[in-house]
Amino acid sequence: MNKLIVVIGPTGAGKTAHAIELAKKHDCPIISADSRQIYYDLPIGTAAPTEEEQLQAKHYLVGFKALQENYNAGQFARDANLLLDQLFQLHNTVVVVGGSMMYIDAVCKGIDDIPTVDESIRESLKKEFQEKGLDPMLAQLRLLDPEYYDLVDRKNHKRVIHALEICYTSGKTYTSFRKQAKKER
């Protein structure tokens, strides 16, 4: 039977050292579930495992994206689960370590399948927000997805804009993609 050991906690709590101890004990690899450690441009400030630490136990999903590349929890879940399928062919146990609960939850519980946002729509909405502020964007959201409008923190422009990005990209409400159903893992 395969076992996934999950190590979570805040930056600087010693997660990496503990994960390495577990990996050595179980003779298994480590998957990083940290939303910042994926970027090779940010080794400092993210407590990314050092070269020495990576030699002590094989690490995956560390430093494999450029900072300019878009990457999200849905993509991470797909990458991590494909990797787990491969690793469980070779190991009975795998350690996942990180401080990004969304990434951990995406792997362990699943995540809603939200479409990738069209970059021109993202830029257009970003520009509109900068020029006109949040109120016109809230008005759009109220028209396009009244159900999410009633739920969203109306002072959090990032959430409002993201919902609009999804509405405009897909032609559907953001709410229609938010199933929040736990997936069998």
Side-chain angles (χ1 to χ4, degrees), residues 30-44:
I30 297 171
I31 296 176
S32 172
D34 187 292
S35 65
R36 302 296 183 257
Q37 290 181 7
I38 63 169
Y39 299 109
Y40 55 77
D41 311 69
L42 292 176
I44 299 171

Side-chain angles (χ1 to χ4, degrees), residues 77 81 102 104-112 181-183 185:
N81 282 306
M102 183 178 274
I104 298 287
D105 284 348
V107 171
C108 296
K109 298 176 184 176
I111 191 167
D112 292 332
K182 184 176 178 183
K183 295 186 172 110
R185 297 285 193 225

Side-chain angles (χ1 to χ4, degrees), residues 85-148:
D85 289 343
Q86 296 168 8
L87 294 174
F88 280 139
Q89 299 296 317
L90 306 169
H91 306 274
N92 292 327
T93 304
V94 176
V95 176
V96 172
V97 60
S100 301
M101 279 309 299
M102 183 178 274
Y103 276 33
I104 298 287
D105 284 348
V107 171
C108 296
K109 298 176 184 176
I111 191 167
D112 292 332
D113 192 18
I114 307 287
T116 302
V117 174
D118 180 287
E119 201 56 42
S120 64
I121 290 172
R122 174 169 282 147
E123 289 304 315
S124 174
L125 288 169
K126 184 178 172 182
K127 183 179 179 186
E128 182 177 346
F129 171 69
Q130 290 169 345
E131 291 174 358
K132 298 178 183 176
L134 189 57
D135 287 339
M137 311 210 86
L138 284 165
Q140 290 175 57
L141 185 59
R142 180 188 278 158
L143 289 172
L144 295 171
D145 191 349
E147 189 175 345
Y148 188 67

Side-chain angles (χ1 to χ4, degrees), residues 152-172:
V152 71
D153 174 358
R154 292 185 197 117
K155 293 183 176 159
N156 187 331
H157 71 277
K158 289 185 179 186
R159 290 187 184 203
V160 171
I161 292 170
H162 181 65
L164 288 171
E165 290 171 348
I166 299 302
C167 291
Y168 286 123
T169 295
S170 68
K172 299 178 182 178

Side-chain angles (χ1 to χ4, degrees), residues 4-27:
L4 182 65
I5 299 173
V6 179
V7 179
I8 59 173
T11 300
K15 295 183 304 291
T16 298
H18 186 60
I20 290 170
E21 287 176 28
L22 289 167
K24 286 179 177 179
K25 179 180 177 181
H26 295 281
D27 189 29

Side-chain angles (χ1 to χ4, degrees), residues 16 19-20 29-32 37 49-50 53-62 97:
T16 298
I20 290 170
I30 297 171
I31 296 176
S32 172
Q37 290 181 7
T50 64
E53 288 171 323
Q54 291 188 52
L55 290 173
Q56 293 178 52
K58 177 69 177 158
H59 284 70
Y60 291 91
L61 302 182
V62 175
V97 60

